[in-house]
């Protein structure tokens, strides 16, 4: 099965320390997730973000309830962090968040490498709806970030 990559870039009208601080608070993940996924963090908050931190979620993908667990595998404050799925709907899901100050704004890059489960029609499912669902989720995420930090 191939590993798919999705990349998104968003410029936020806020300084790096504020934007990274927003991401450092795991409770804000719910704000960045479409309501249609019925996303809920199960791990008690606040969560200390650091390598090895585990975060459990519950959500619905296409109406199917599932549990998802990620581990923070890289934590470089103000630069980047990586969360990797330990349990969830994908065979692999590795999400890198990178940040760069640009004056009083911040550029945020999301890069996700994901692999679908090894099922007979997985690649067809990717072409028909998984790819577009990933794009939709990240389009929502970009808009939610811009709303969290409206232009001054």
């Amino acid at each position: 099965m191939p590993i798919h990559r999705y990349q998104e870039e968003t410029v936020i009208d806020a300084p790096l320390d504020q934007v990274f601080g927003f991401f450092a608070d795991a409770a804000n993940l719910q704000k960045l997730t479409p309501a249609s996924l019925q996303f809920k963090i199960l791990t008690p908050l606040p969560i200390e973000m650091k390598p090895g931190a585990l975060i459990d979620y519950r959500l619905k993908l296409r109406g199917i309830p599932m549990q998802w667990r990620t581990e923070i595998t890289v934590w470089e404050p103000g630069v980047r962090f990586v969360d990797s799925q330990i349990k969830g709907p994908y065979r692999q899901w590795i999400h890198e968040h990178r940040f760069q100050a640009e004056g009083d704004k911040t550029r945020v890059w999301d890069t996700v490498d994901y692999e679908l489960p090894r099922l007979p029609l997985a690649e067809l499912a990717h072409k028909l709806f998984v790819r577009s669902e990933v794009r939709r989720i990240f389009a929502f995420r970009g808009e939610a970030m811009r709303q969290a930090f409206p232009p001054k």
Side-chain angles (χ1 to χ4, degrees):
M1 297 298 252
I3 295 176
H4 301 281
R5 173 168 278 190
Y6 181 79
Q7 294 181 293
E8 185 75 33
E9 183 177 328
T10 308
V11 176
I12 306 300
D13 194 14
L16 175 65
D17 62 332
Q18 287 180 17
V19 174
F20 195 86
F22 178 84
F23 280 87
D25 181 352
N28 288 324
L29 186 54
Q30 193 153 341
K31 295 175 185 173
L32 298 172
T33 306
S36 62
L37 295 178
Q38 298 179 33
F39 180 88
K40 180 168 175 42
I41 298 172
L42 301 176
T43 303
L45 298 171
I47 298 167
E48 182 183 356
M49 299 293 273
K50 62 181 182 179
L54 299 174
I55 307 171
D56 290 310
Y57 320 96
R58 182 178 61 232
L59 60 114
K60 287 187 178 181
L61 281 174
R62 297 202 165 261
I64 301 168
M66 55 190 62
Q67 300 276 336
W68 193 317
R69 171 177 274 187
T70 59
E71 177 182 3
I72 303 300
T73 56
V74 175
W75 184 255
E76 297 175 23
V79 178
R80 72 185 185 118
F81 69 96
V82 177
D83 59 85
S84 299
Q85 174 195 283
I86 294 174
K87 177 185 176 189
Y90 295 90
R91 181 173 170 77
Q92 171 185 287
W93 177 278
I94 300 170
H95 182 182
E96 179 184 36
H97 315 250
R98 288 187 299 128
F99 304 82
Q100 179 179 315
E102 294 186 356
D104 58 351
K105 298 179 189 270
T106 304
R107 188 171 301 271
V108 179
W109 290 272
D110 286 293
T111 302
V112 180
D113 291 319
Y114 63 98
E115 182 181 1
L116 299 175
R118 295 181 191 253
L119 299 171
L121 299 176
E123 283 311 301
L124 178 60
H126 184 261
K127 289 177 183 169
L128 293 176
F129 60 85
V130 174
R131 177 176 35 216
S132 63
E133 185 74 9
V134 169
R135 286 182 181 151
R136 184 184 72 78
I137 290 167
F138 279 91
F140 177 91
R141 181 183 177 87
E143 185 55 33
M145 281 190 276
R146 286 186 288 276
Q147 287 180 12
F149 297 98
K152 297 170 184 103

